[in-house]
Amino acid sequence: MAARLTRFLFLLELATYGPGYAGVAKMKVVEEPNTFGLNNPFLPQTSRLQPKREPSPVSGPVHLFRLSGKCFSLVESMYKYEFCPFHNVTQHEQTFRWNAYSGILGIWHEWEIANNTFRGMWMRDGDSCHSQSRQSKVELTCGKSNRLAHVSEPSTCVYALTFETPLVCHPHSLLVYPALPMALQQRWDQVEQDLADELITPQGYEKLLRALFEDAGYLKTPEESKSAQQEGGVQGPVFETLESCNKAQKELSKEIKRLKSVLTQHGIPYSNPAETSSSERLGSKTPTDRTTEQLRGNTGLLGNTL
């Protein structure tokens, strides 16, 4: 940060006193790794992390709530990944480039539930990736300590993370039924009884269970998911007339030309927008190991509280 500030002041003095000032005192500018764009006042606003929406409320097994407010990181290749349970997943390029990539791979959305078990945490509505938003699924596995163990990209713009924690080592720690309030447990009991009495079909059973999980806050309703996608859509300036749009485009082109001139004057390299963007390079340089550890469901009630 100190080197970046020194360079900024040096360029400011050059602009004020002219090129002749460089001969007064020689200064060595030292590059340092990107500081990941988190509220960095020396980076342009577009380089900072800009979430499209707020995370969903904390939900699920109560003993996992203690992970909220904490973050866990993993460095693989030239990227640093950071998982903040019930908040988001981010990726930061660790290079010396002045515009190193920092982006959001997903914001806490909902649980994935199967066989009475919390199978994973879905982080959706991340940064735009072509025609979709980046999203991540985090699987919780038993481990000696809390740590982000593995990150892969099984399909384009969809990431798979493995998070190890001792909080899920108990065989019943990820069961859904014990995590429900008493009223919803009784409601589930009635659904099971109705299925046993053949009062509902298997399809009706699944539909009733999903509605129960939505009421518990574990899953999002289709309407809520659609609303979140619309809220997290690609946003840009809105112009009332074509004339105002053309005017803004001309002003922007003029500003870009001026900035290029300044960079050229001081010998600072830059890339053209037509070149491959950092977000596109992200998809090709991220590990693509498709192997993910499957969590096992285990029926029964919670025995011991972790």
Side-chain angles (χ1 to χ4, degrees):
M1 177 62 74
R4 193 177 295 274
L5 178 59
T6 301
R7 183 174 182 177
F8 172 78
L9 294 175
F10 175 66
L11 293 178
L12 181 61
E13 290 171 342
L14 275 179
T16 303
Y17 299 103
Y21 176 79
V24 177
K26 293 184 179 181
M27 181 181 300
K28 181 180 179 181
V29 178
V30 181
E31 291 282 354
E32 63 179 12
N34 178 267
T35 52
F36 306 144
L38 289 171
N39 299 319
N40 185 346
F42 298 101
L43 290 179
Q45 182 66 27
T46 54
S47 297
R48 306 178 192 174
L49 298 182
Q50 299 180 13
K52 297 176 179 178
R53 61 170 177 83
E54 292 295 321
S56 300
V58 177
S59 65
V62 176
H63 58 275
L64 296 182
F65 290 6
R66 69 190 70 179
L67 296 175
S68 179
K70 300 179 181 179
C71 295
F72 308 89
S73 61
L74 171 68
V75 176
E76 284 195 0
S77 183
M78 58 188 293
Y79 294 103
K80 176 182 178 182
Y81 299 90
E82 194 167 52
F83 167 52
C84 302
F86 304 107
H87 192 65
N88 63 21
V89 173
T90 57
Q91 181 188 46
H92 312 283
E93 181 181 354
Q94 292 193 307
T95 67
F96 291 96
R97 296 190 307 111
W98 71 273
N99 62 340
Y101 175 81
S102 286
I104 299 176
L105 304 186
I107 302 171
W108 165 236
H109 187 67
E110 65 181 354
W111 287 95
E112 179 178 302
I113 297 177
N115 189 31
N116 183 26
T117 306
F118 292 103
R119 301 299 296 270
M121 303 177 71
W122 272 106
M123 308 285 186
R124 305 188 190 275
D125 304 316
D127 288 348
S128 298
C129 180
H130 305 295
S131 60
Q132 59 180 324
S133 295
R134 301 183 191 277
Q135 57 180 328
S136 303
K137 178 184 176 181
V138 183
E139 293 189 353
L140 308 180
T141 62
C142 176
K144 295 181 179 180
S145 62
N146 295 324
R147 75 182 189 99
L148 183 57
H150 181 67
V151 179
S152 65
E153 187 179 3
S155 59
T156 304
C157 307
V158 179
Y159 303 83
L161 288 74
T162 300
F163 180 71
E164 295 181 356
T165 174
L167 296 175
V168 300
C169 291
H170 190 279
H172 299 161
S173 60
L174 289 174
L175 292 183
V176 178
Y177 186 91
L180 291 168
M182 183 63 67
L184 291 182
Q185 287 183 355
Q186 294 175 350
R187 180 172 154 188
W188 193 341
D189 293 340
Q190 185 60 52
V191 171
E192 295 286 350
Q193 186 62 50
D194 290 346
L195 178 64
D197 294 340
E198 299 184 351
L199 297 178
I200 56 176
T201 64
Q203 293 82 1
Y205 170 81
E206 295 295 335
K207 185 176 181 180
L208 290 173
L209 274 191
R210 177 172 180 86
L212 190 152
F213 298 152
E214 290 173 354
D215 290 344
Y218 302 157
L219 300 179
K220 294 296 181 182
T221 65
E223 293 76 13
E224 289 175 326
S225 296
K226 183 178 180 180
S227 175
Q229 292 175 359
Q230 291 176 346
E231 180 182 351
V234 179
Q235 300 180 358
V238 178
F239 302 99
E240 296 182 355
T241 64
L242 179 60
E243 181 180 358
S244 61
C245 178
N246 290 334
K247 181 179 179 181
Q249 191 272 337
K250 291 180 181 179
E251 293 177 351
L252 180 60
S253 298
K254 183 178 179 181
E255 177 65 12
I256 291 175
K257 185 177 180 180
R258 185 190 70 81
L259 292 174
K260 286 183 177 180
S261 176
V262 173
L263 292 174
T264 302
Q265 178 182 354
H266 297 293
I268 301 176
Y270 62 89
S271 59
N272 293 320
E275 297 179 359
T276 303
S277 64
S278 59
S279 61
E280 291 173 341
R281 286 194 295 270
L282 173 66
S284 61
K285 291 188 177 180
T286 304
T288 56
D289 181 14
R290 294 175 178 273
T291 304
T292 56
E293 182 177 358
Q294 300 296 322
L295 299 178
R296 301 296 180 182
N298 188 0
T299 57
L301 296 180
L302 184 64
N304 298 323
T305 302
L306 295 179

